[in-house]
Amino acid sequence: MDRSSAGISGQYARSDNYYNRPGGHAASSRRGRYRYATVRQWDTPSRTAPGRNEFYHSSFTRSSQHLQYRSVNPAQDFNTLTRQEIMAGLLSKSYRFGDRYDGRDHGQYASSIKKYTLAAKRPLNRAEQGQLMRFLQNFTATRSWNWLSLTTTLHSFTSAGVFTPHKPMDERVKLTQAHLLSALLDAIIFKCNQKAETSYIGAQGVANLLWAMAKLVDSGQERKSGLNEAVAVLLPHMNAQQDPFIPQHIANLLWAMAKLVDNGQERTPGLNEAVARLLPDVNAQKTHFKPQEIASLLWAMAKLVDNGQEQTPAFNEAVAALLSRVNAHKDRFNAQGITNLLWAMAKLVGNGQEQTAGLKETVIVLLPCVNALKDRFIPQHIANLLWAMAKLVDYGQERTPGLKEAVAALLPNVNAQKDQFNAQAIANLLWVMAKLVGSGLERAPGLKEAVATLLPQVIAKKANFKPQGIANLLWAMAKLVDYGQERTPGLKEAVAALLPNVNAQKDQFNAQAIANLLWVMAKLVGSGLERAPGLKEAVATLLPQVIAKKANFKPQGIANLLWAMAKLVDYGQERTPGLKETVAALLPHVNAHKAHFKPQEIANLLWAMAKLLDNGQERTPELKEPVVALLSHVNIQKAHFKPQEIANLLWAMAKLVDNGQEWTPELNEAVAALLPRVNAQKANLIPQETVNLLWAMAKLGELIELNVVTSTFKSLVYRISGNPQFSQQAILMSLWGVMVCCARLYLVSDANKNNWLEKHMDDLFTRLENTFPDNPDNNEEEQYVIAMAASWLGRSCPFVPHYQIIMSKPQSDFRDQLQSCIPSLQIEEEKSLNSLPPVDLLLPDHNMVIEVQGPSHYVGGDFKTRKGSTLLKIALLQKAGFEVIEIPVNRLWNQDLMKPYIDQIKTRTGIPPQGHGSVSLKRTWADAAYVTADKGRQPSDHGYLTAEKQLEEQTGKPARRKRKNSQ
């Protein structure tokens, strides 16, 4: 996507007049060194002049001179350049002088080819290149050539497009190109390795050679070892250069470095030194750069940073120096210059460049130029400009004056030039559309039309997209759907056209692309496109790639991948061995990167782990460790979470607790850190987030202090009452949350105090009643909530809920022991009362319920902090008139621990207890057992009988009151 730059065309880097002057002669000294002041032409000795350095005019010279002074007739002029007598003259000169031949005439001939293309205002076309290659079969550079000839030949041929690999290419042409280029590079390497005293290349020669090598790579020429070596041996000559570089040299050299690095050149110490050598020159020469050179330089610096260049003080000073010149030349930049500059601004900011006043001012200065030149931008410019604007918006510059107008000016050009965009530009443009929509610019005139225009182009060019383009396109389509883009046939067809390419190019996706693609799959499934042909296959294809590249994912990629896994499973994706292995492979990396996750990534990761557990993921140590690690960072980042992230985090913590998460200090601190943020951000919560928060706070039960629960519920519950847009699921979640809050108030205080909540409960239940006929097959969980609400409100339940009967061994053991101690006692098991969930043990003759509470009834299994669901059941039973005795299962491991509870039940049922032996009733009961009863019969302040109260009834003596903490 953004790897596509607004490159620098040949005209931005040409040194058109450095080597070639009118008359076809090159400027140099007699020693072959380059100078900038006085230009001396080569002397042409007479044919009779003897000596080592004898040279003769070849027959082509007159033709090349003539080309400059008349109008161009391309066919005629080019045929003139490929006459056999020209080649015969070159060969004759080379053979005659042998090792003494310095390549002068060959350099002049290469220069004449370049002049032809300059006059024609285009590089050689495929036919001309083929004709020339046949002509150049015997054109060979040798190590005897001097620097001027080597530099002129390579620079001129490269500039003219002699080495450009056209497609398709004749094999003979390809071989001739390779032979010619290999000979030139060999001679350059040879001369670079000679001592500086005997082989000195001037500043201009270095600049033109490096420019030519970068241009070769940029035009698609393979980076063979000869080219790499030539660059490597040439860089020390640049770094040791004594002659000063003029502004154009500086621009060309930095452009060349950027191009080479962008095309895979290793960032060696020599290259880094070369960049560092040039940066002070940028600052020193800042007032002498032409507009074209300013654009070229800023583009190059942005490219270098994008490829790992350190933003040193010298680098930042060079950027600042150039930015100051943009305003001065704003009216002189052409369409490509404006494109390169805005692309560079976006890239620099994206790579950490400080958004200084100078940078922002440069953007503001350039945007009106986009509007003014809107009709002059070629397709690549349009794609790169829109990409740059989308990136700037992404970095917080959406309010920059002129930005919306510039976007609006360019969008019609997308439709007008739709057939001219290449595959990469199409991918970039759709990425841009998604970014703009996501940044609030969805109403920009022409944006919807641009999307509709581009989708058929995706299908037409589906075979031409590279792996990164495929990933960006699918990401863009998923984002557009996520932002409300209508799922048109065109969009579905475009998705279907790309998915097979995921499988075909699976081995070529980098780590970021894999993360994006799996995120896309999850988004598409969640948007109703789960039946898109090839989607399941694409997921199955990508999972092994995650495992293979697990060490290469950045923190964001890890977060997106686990989020995607959780989403796919939540939407019904089968938990295959491949998916399980993928999750297992990623979890250790969460712990390793724990300090580097951003707030959103922390929220997404905890949400993902909660979802995975909720869908059957095993609670392995590998999962527990990253959960604890992330919880500790919730407190650290608490001030930076957005409303949605706060809601998701509390929902995740509630789900984790619901699925067996142990109580830890980190969990407690994370909950405590987020709760104050709920009230602070309540105005920014969307309805569903409000529902999730109510549900989560209710689930966490006594982990949250009652006063915090009630105050937060008061601030949130009004936000859901009048909202008619809620789904049935949202209403059910809200109803359950309100019931739990009512239950907590009921158990600790006067029931009249929760009247305000019961009104909301009644309203939510009424809204659900209207959906009962349409949903006769509500799932079990929904039936339970409706039945409990009906019981609380004294309404009739519209159906008989079906509860799953599960009898635990501790429950059975306690029943057997109780029955053996009191044979006459009638005991019923798993009895549903008033359509409520079954109770463990019912003593019908005494209106008493015994609940054997396992660890799942407590937050983190601590046998102290009851969950919301536990509190709700106790309150409902008590409200229905039952006395409730809660016995934590950890107090029933043996008969000695059971005995105090059996004696207590004897007392409550009117049967005198026997001696307790060595077991302390007060200690055991106070630590672990609650007795709750109907308020009409049991006036305890807390709605349950404490151990102290029971002791009073047994001994007749007042006991010290121990108030139960509501937390």
Side-chain angles (χ1 to χ4, degrees), residues 618-640:
E618 188 181 351
R619 293 193 72 253
T620 59
E622 290 77 15
L623 189 140
K624 294 177 185 178
E625 287 178 18
V627 167
V628 173
L630 290 168
L631 286 172
S632 65
H633 281 81
V634 171
N635 196 11
I636 296 169
Q637 298 274 15
K638 62 186 177 185
H640 305 294

PDB file of all heavy atoms in Angstrom, residues 618-640:
ATOM      1  N   GLU A 618      -9.037 -23.828  26.553  1.00  0.00           N
ATOM      2  CA  GLU A 618      -8.571 -24.360  27.823  1.00  0.00           C
ATOM      3  C   GLU A 618      -7.777 -23.307  28.577  1.00  0.00           C
ATOM      4  O   GLU A 618      -7.013 -22.555  27.986  1.00  0.00           O
ATOM      5  CB  GLU A 618      -7.691 -25.587  27.558  1.00  0.00           C
ATOM      6  CG  GLU A 618      -7.305 -26.347  28.807  1.00  0.00           C
ATOM      7  CD  GLU A 618      -6.420 -27.544  28.492  1.00  0.00           C
ATOM      8  OE1 GLU A 618      -6.264 -27.864  27.293  1.00  0.00           O
ATOM      9  OE2 GLU A 618      -5.870 -28.133  29.444  1.00  0.00           O
ATOM     10  N   ARG A 619      -7.976 -23.259  29.896  1.00  0.00           N
ATOM     11  CA  ARG A 619      -7.276 -22.276  30.721  1.00  0.00           C
ATOM     12  C   ARG A 619      -5.897 -22.822  31.089  1.00  0.00           C
ATOM     13  O   ARG A 619      -5.669 -23.276  32.202  1.00  0.00           O
ATOM     14  CB  ARG A 619      -8.071 -21.942  31.975  1.00  0.00           C
ATOM     15  CG  ARG A 619      -9.367 -21.218  31.705  1.00  0.00           C
ATOM     16  CD  ARG A 619      -9.982 -20.622  32.960  1.00  0.00           C
ATOM     17  NE  ARG A 619      -9.222 -19.469  33.403  1.00  0.00           N
ATOM     18  CZ  ARG A 619      -8.432 -19.471  34.464  1.00  0.00           C
ATOM     19  NH1 ARG A 619      -8.273 -20.552  35.172  1.00  0.00           N
ATOM     20  NH2 ARG A 619      -7.768 -18.389  34.814  1.00  0.00           N
ATOM     21  N   THR A 620      -4.989 -22.751  30.146  1.00  0.00           N
ATOM     22  CA  THR A 620      -3.634 -23.252  30.352  1.00  0.00           C
ATOM     23  C   THR A 620      -2.790 -22.191  31.063  1.00  0.00           C
ATOM     24  O   THR A 620      -3.135 -21.011  31.081  1.00  0.00           O
ATOM     25  CB  THR A 620      -2.987 -23.577  29.000  1.00  0.00           C
ATOM     26  OG1 THR A 620      -2.964 -22.371  28.223  1.00  0.00           O
ATOM     27  CG2 THR A 620      -3.773 -24.642  28.259  1.00  0.00           C
ATOM     28  N   PRO A 621      -1.647 -22.602  31.635  1.00  0.00           N
ATOM     29  CA  PRO A 621      -0.736 -21.595  32.211  1.00  0.00           C
ATOM     30  C   PRO A 621      -0.301 -20.557  31.180  1.00  0.00           C
ATOM     31  O   PRO A 621      -0.092 -19.389  31.520  1.00  0.00           O
ATOM     32  CB  PRO A 621       0.460 -22.447  32.677  1.00  0.00           C
ATOM     33  CG  PRO A 621      -0.106 -23.811  32.896  1.00  0.00           C
ATOM     34  CD  PRO A 621      -1.184 -23.981  31.875  1.00  0.00           C
ATOM     35  N   GLU A 622      -0.189 -20.985  29.903  1.00  0.00           N
ATOM     36  CA  GLU A 622       0.210 -20.049  28.842  1.00  0.00           C
ATOM     37  C   GLU A 622      -0.823 -18.957  28.637  1.00  0.00           C
ATOM     38  O   GLU A 622      -0.492 -17.866  28.177  1.00  0.00           O
ATOM     39  CB  GLU A 622       0.436 -20.806  27.532  1.00  0.00           C
ATOM     40  CG  GLU A 622       1.658 -21.694  27.508  1.00  0.00           C
ATOM     41  CD  GLU A 622       1.472 -23.005  28.258  1.00  0.00           C
ATOM     42  OE1 GLU A 622       0.303 -23.364  28.554  1.00  0.00           O
ATOM     43  OE2 GLU A 622       2.478 -23.662  28.564  1.00  0.00           O
ATOM     44  N   LEU A 623      -2.069 -19.236  28.966  1.00  0.00           N
ATOM     45  CA  LEU A 623      -3.117 -18.216  28.854  1.00  0.00           C
ATOM     46  C   LEU A 623      -3.214 -17.390  30.133  1.00  0.00           C
ATOM     47  O   LEU A 623      -3.430 -16.172  30.084  1.00  0.00           O
ATOM     48  CB  LEU A 623      -4.466 -18.864  28.530  1.00  0.00           C
ATOM     49  CG  LEU A 623      -5.588 -17.873  28.180  1.00  0.00           C
ATOM     50  CD1 LEU A 623      -6.433 -18.407  27.029  1.00  0.00           C
ATOM     51  CD2 LEU A 623      -6.489 -17.578  29.369  1.00  0.00           C
ATOM     52  N   LYS A 624      -3.040 -18.020  31.260  1.00  0.00           N
ATOM     53  CA  LYS A 624      -3.160 -17.304  32.537  1.00  0.00           C
ATOM     54  C   LYS A 624      -2.099 -16.214  32.669  1.00  0.00           C
ATOM     55  O   LYS A 624      -2.387 -15.110  33.134  1.00  0.00           O
ATOM     56  CB  LYS A 624      -3.040 -18.286  33.706  1.00  0.00           C
ATOM     57  CG  LYS A 624      -4.177 -19.292  33.810  1.00  0.00           C
ATOM     58  CD  LYS A 624      -3.925 -20.259  34.960  1.00  0.00           C
ATOM     59  CE  LYS A 624      -4.981 -21.344  35.028  1.00  0.00           C
ATOM     60  NZ  LYS A 624      -4.704 -22.325  36.114  1.00  0.00           N
ATOM     61  N   GLU A 625      -0.869 -16.522  32.268  1.00  0.00           N
ATOM     62  CA  GLU A 625       0.232 -15.559  32.435  1.00  0.00           C
ATOM     63  C   GLU A 625       0.010 -14.259  31.682  1.00  0.00           C
ATOM     64  O   GLU A 625       0.162 -13.176  32.257  1.00  0.00           O
ATOM     65  CB  GLU A 625       1.552 -16.214  32.003  1.00  0.00           C
ATOM     66  CG  GLU A 625       2.066 -17.253  32.984  1.00  0.00           C
ATOM     67  CD  GLU A 625       3.342 -17.911  32.499  1.00  0.00           C
ATOM     68  OE1 GLU A 625       4.007 -17.341  31.609  1.00  0.00           O
ATOM     69  OE2 GLU A 625       3.685 -18.999  33.003  1.00  0.00           O
ATOM     70  N   PRO A 626      -0.347 -14.317  30.381  1.00  0.00           N
ATOM     71  CA  PRO A 626      -0.569 -13.034  29.692  1.00  0.00           C
ATOM     72  C   PRO A 626      -1.762 -12.258  30.227  1.00  0.00           C
ATOM     73  O   PRO A 626      -1.765 -11.027  30.182  1.00  0.00           O
ATOM     74  CB  PRO A 626      -0.786 -13.448  28.231  1.00  0.00           C
ATOM     75  CG  PRO A 626      -1.036 -14.902  28.235  1.00  0.00           C
ATOM     76  CD  PRO A 626      -0.372 -15.453  29.454  1.00  0.00           C
ATOM     77  N   VAL A 627      -2.777 -12.967  30.760  1.00  0.00           N
ATOM     78  CA  VAL A 627      -3.926 -12.256  31.338  1.00  0.00           C
ATOM     79  C   VAL A 627      -3.463 -11.419  32.526  1.00  0.00           C
ATOM     80  O   VAL A 627      -3.769 -10.221  32.621  1.00  0.00           O
ATOM     81  CB  VAL A 627      -5.036 -13.243  31.762  1.00  0.00           C
ATOM     82  CG1 VAL A 627      -6.072 -12.545  32.637  1.00  0.00           C
ATOM     83  CG2 VAL A 627      -5.713 -13.839  30.535  1.00  0.00           C
ATOM     84  N   VAL A 628      -2.703 -12.037  33.420  1.00  0.00           N
ATOM     85  CA  VAL A 628      -2.205 -11.299  34.596  1.00  0.00           C
ATOM     86  C   VAL A 628      -1.282 -10.163  34.160  1.00  0.00           C
ATOM     87  O   VAL A 628      -1.343  -9.053  34.702  1.00  0.00           O
ATOM     88  CB  VAL A 628      -1.477 -12.268  35.552  1.00  0.00           C
ATOM     89  CG1 VAL A 628      -0.809 -11.499  36.693  1.00  0.00           C
ATOM     90  CG2 VAL A 628      -2.459 -13.290  36.113  1.00  0.00           C
ATOM     91  N   ALA A 629      -0.443 -10.437  33.168  1.00  0.00           N
ATOM     92  CA  ALA A 629       0.490  -9.408  32.679  1.00  0.00           C
ATOM     93  C   ALA A 629      -0.264  -8.209  32.120  1.00  0.00           C
ATOM     94  O   ALA A 629       0.111  -7.054  32.353  1.00  0.00           O
ATOM     95  CB  ALA A 629       1.398 -10.003  31.608  1.00  0.00           C
ATOM     96  N   LEU A 630      -1.335  -8.474  31.380  1.00  0.00           N
ATOM     97  CA  LEU A 630      -2.108  -7.382  30.777  1.00  0.00           C
ATOM     98  C   LEU A 630      -2.909  -6.617  31.816  1.00  0.00           C
ATOM     99  O   LEU A 630      -3.056  -5.391  31.719  1.00  0.00           O
ATOM    100  CB  LEU A 630      -3.038  -7.941  29.697  1.00  0.00           C
ATOM    101  CG  LEU A 630      -2.352  -8.454  28.423  1.00  0.00           C
ATOM    102  CD1 LEU A 630      -3.334  -9.237  27.568  1.00  0.00           C
ATOM    103  CD2 LEU A 630      -1.773  -7.299  27.621  1.00  0.00           C
ATOM    104  N   LEU A 631      -3.434  -7.331  32.802  1.00  0.00           N
ATOM    105  CA  LEU A 631      -4.222  -6.656  33.844  1.00  0.00           C
ATOM    106  C   LEU A 631      -3.377  -5.618  34.577  1.00  0.00           C
ATOM    107  O   LEU A 631      -3.863  -4.540  34.927  1.00  0.00           O
ATOM    108  CB  LEU A 631      -4.768  -7.688  34.836  1.00  0.00           C
ATOM    109  CG  LEU A 631      -5.928  -8.561  34.330  1.00  0.00           C
ATOM    110  CD1 LEU A 631      -6.251  -9.658  35.330  1.00  0.00           C
ATOM    111  CD2 LEU A 631      -7.167  -7.721  34.048  1.00  0.00           C
ATOM    112  N   SER A 632      -2.103  -5.929  34.790  1.00  0.00           N
ATOM    113  CA  SER A 632      -1.232  -4.973  35.486  1.00  0.00           C
ATOM    114  C   SER A 632      -1.038  -3.698  34.674  1.00  0.00           C
ATOM    115  O   SER A 632      -0.789  -2.627  35.239  1.00  0.00           O
ATOM    116  CB  SER A 632       0.122  -5.624  35.775  1.00  0.00           C
ATOM    117  OG  SER A 632       0.802  -5.916  34.571  1.00  0.00           O
ATOM    118  N   HIS A 633      -1.160  -3.807  33.338  1.00  0.00           N
ATOM    119  CA  HIS A 633      -0.984  -2.630  32.484  1.00  0.00           C
ATOM    120  C   HIS A 633      -2.270  -1.823  32.323  1.00  0.00           C
ATOM    121  O   HIS A 633      -2.228  -0.697  31.830  1.00  0.00           O
ATOM    122  CB  HIS A 633      -0.435  -3.050  31.124  1.00  0.00           C
ATOM    123  CG  HIS A 633       1.040  -3.315  31.157  1.00  0.00           C
ATOM    124  ND1 HIS A 633       1.584  -4.490  31.610  1.00  0.00           N
ATOM    125  CD2 HIS A 633       2.101  -2.520  30.843  1.00  0.00           C
ATOM    126  CE1 HIS A 633       2.898  -4.431  31.555  1.00  0.00           C
ATOM    127  NE2 HIS A 633       3.246  -3.258  31.104  1.00  0.00           N
ATOM    128  N   VAL A 634      -3.397  -2.403  32.725  1.00  0.00           N
ATOM    129  CA  VAL A 634      -4.650  -1.645  32.687  1.00  0.00           C
ATOM    130  C   VAL A 634      -4.548  -0.455  33.630  1.00  0.00           C
ATOM    131  O   VAL A 634      -4.935   0.669  33.286  1.00  0.00           O
ATOM    132  CB  VAL A 634      -5.842  -2.549  33.069  1.00  0.00           C
ATOM    133  CG1 VAL A 634      -7.112  -1.715  33.258  1.00  0.00           C
ATOM    134  CG2 VAL A 634      -6.069  -3.614  31.998  1.00  0.00           C
ATOM    135  N   ASN A 635      -4.013  -0.700  34.824  1.00  0.00           N
ATOM    136  CA  ASN A 635      -3.869   0.382  35.806  1.00  0.00           C
ATOM    137  C   ASN A 635      -2.906   1.448  35.301  1.00  0.00           C
ATOM    138  O   ASN A 635      -3.150   2.652  35.428  1.00  0.00           O
ATOM    139  CB  ASN A 635      -3.379  -0.209  37.135  1.00  0.00           C
ATOM    140  CG  ASN A 635      -3.575   0.750  38.295  1.00  0.00           C
ATOM    141  OD1 ASN A 635      -4.250   1.771  38.157  1.00  0.00           O
ATOM    142  ND2 ASN A 635      -2.987   0.438  39.430  1.00  0.00           N
ATOM    143  N   ILE A 636      -1.814   1.012  34.666  1.00  0.00           N
ATOM    144  CA  ILE A 636      -0.809   1.957  34.156  1.00  0.00           C
ATOM    145  C   ILE A 636      -1.394   2.857  33.071  1.00  0.00           C
ATOM    146  O   ILE A 636      -1.133   4.054  33.011  1.00  0.00           O
ATOM    147  CB  ILE A 636       0.406   1.180  33.607  1.00  0.00           C
ATOM    148  CG1 ILE A 636       1.099   0.398  34.731  1.00  0.00           C
ATOM    149  CG2 ILE A 636       1.393   2.115  32.925  1.00  0.00           C
ATOM    150  CD1 ILE A 636       2.137  -0.601  34.246  1.00  0.00           C
ATOM    151  N   GLN A 637      -2.222   2.280  32.213  1.00  0.00           N
ATOM    152  CA  GLN A 637      -2.756   3.005  31.048  1.00  0.00           C
ATOM    153  C   GLN A 637      -4.168   3.544  31.275  1.00  0.00           C
ATOM    154  O   GLN A 637      -4.809   3.989  30.317  1.00  0.00           O
ATOM    155  CB  GLN A 637      -2.789   2.057  29.832  1.00  0.00           C
ATOM    156  CG  GLN A 637      -1.429   1.534  29.399  1.00  0.00           C
ATOM    157  CD  GLN A 637      -0.733   2.473  28.446  1.00  0.00           C
ATOM    158  OE1 GLN A 637      -1.116   3.635  28.316  1.00  0.00           O
ATOM    159  NE2 GLN A 637       0.284   1.988  27.761  1.00  0.00           N
ATOM    160  N   LYS A 638      -4.657   3.523  32.491  1.00  0.00           N
ATOM    161  CA  LYS A 638      -6.077   3.800  32.753  1.00  0.00           C
ATOM    162  C   LYS A 638      -6.568   5.131  32.183  1.00  0.00           C
ATOM    163  O   LYS A 638      -7.724   5.237  31.750  1.00  0.00           O
ATOM    164  CB  LYS A 638      -6.350   3.748  34.252  1.00  0.00           C
ATOM    165  CG  LYS A 638      -5.576   4.791  35.061  1.00  0.00           C
ATOM    166  CD  LYS A 638      -5.780   4.590  36.564  1.00  0.00           C
ATOM    167  CE  LYS A 638      -4.950   5.581  37.370  1.00  0.00           C
ATOM    168  NZ  LYS A 638      -5.045   5.336  38.818  1.00  0.00           N
ATOM    169  N   ALA A 639      -5.708   6.130  32.150  1.00  0.00           N
ATOM    170  CA  ALA A 639      -6.142   7.455  31.684  1.00  0.00           C
ATOM    171  C   ALA A 639      -6.279   7.529  30.170  1.00  0.00           C
ATOM    172  O   ALA A 639      -6.835   8.502  29.648  1.00  0.00           O
ATOM    173  CB  ALA A 639      -5.162   8.519  32.162  1.00  0.00           C
ATOM    174  N   HIS A 640      -5.803   6.500  29.456  1.00  0.00           N
ATOM    175  CA  HIS A 640      -5.758   6.572  27.996  1.00  0.00           C
ATOM    176  C   HIS A 640      -6.809   5.710  27.297  1.00  0.00           C
ATOM    177  O   HIS A 640      -6.872   5.703  26.072  1.00  0.00           O
ATOM    178  CB  HIS A 640      -4.367   6.159  27.505  1.00  0.00           C
ATOM    179  CG  HIS A 640      -3.257   6.953  28.111  1.00  0.00           C
ATOM    180  ND1 HIS A 640      -3.094   8.311  27.872  1.00  0.00           N
ATOM    181  CD2 HIS A 640      -2.269   6.613  28.983  1.00  0.00           C
ATOM    182  CE1 HIS A 640      -2.041   8.750  28.540  1.00  0.00           C
ATOM    183  NE2 HIS A 640      -1.526   7.746  29.231  1.00  0.00           N
TER     184      HIS A 640
END
